[in-house]
Amino acid sequence: MSQRTIPKLDVFRPYDALTRMTMDGNDTEDLQIYAVVDEDKKIKEFDEKNNSATVVIEKR
């Protein structure tokens, strides 16, 4: 698992993050990526429920 800090986000602007990884030895399992922002809820927001996303990359 890894973690990184991103620059301050501008209001209503997307941020793209590129991550490279090696799947050595994982020939059968799908990969699940889970991203979270403002996990500690330090930033006051209109909607605190939209601070995470998950995507599954299926192994071929």
Side-chain angles (χ1 to χ4, degrees):
M1 187 182 313
S2 67
Q3 180 177 339
R4 79 171 113 172
T5 300
I6 61 172
K8 180 181 176 183
L9 301 175
D10 293 326
V11 176
F12 302 114
R13 300 284 181 163
Y15 179 82
D16 293 326
L18 175 65
T19 300
R20 295 178 188 266
M21 60 182 66
T22 303
M23 299 288 291
D24 291 339
N26 183 8
D27 292 333
T28 59
E29 295 181 26
D30 294 343
L31 176 66
Q32 181 177 7
I33 299 176
Y34 180 66
V36 179
V37 294
D38 191 26
E39 186 173 27
D40 299 328
K41 308 237 184 298
K42 292 181 179 179
I43 300 171
K44 188 174 183 176
E45 302 175 61
F46 176 75
D47 184 357
E48 290 287 351
K49 297 176 187 162
N50 66 351
N51 289 342
S52 65
T54 301
V55 65
V56 175
I57 300 172
E58 295 180 4
K59 193 73 170 182
R60 294 184 189 191

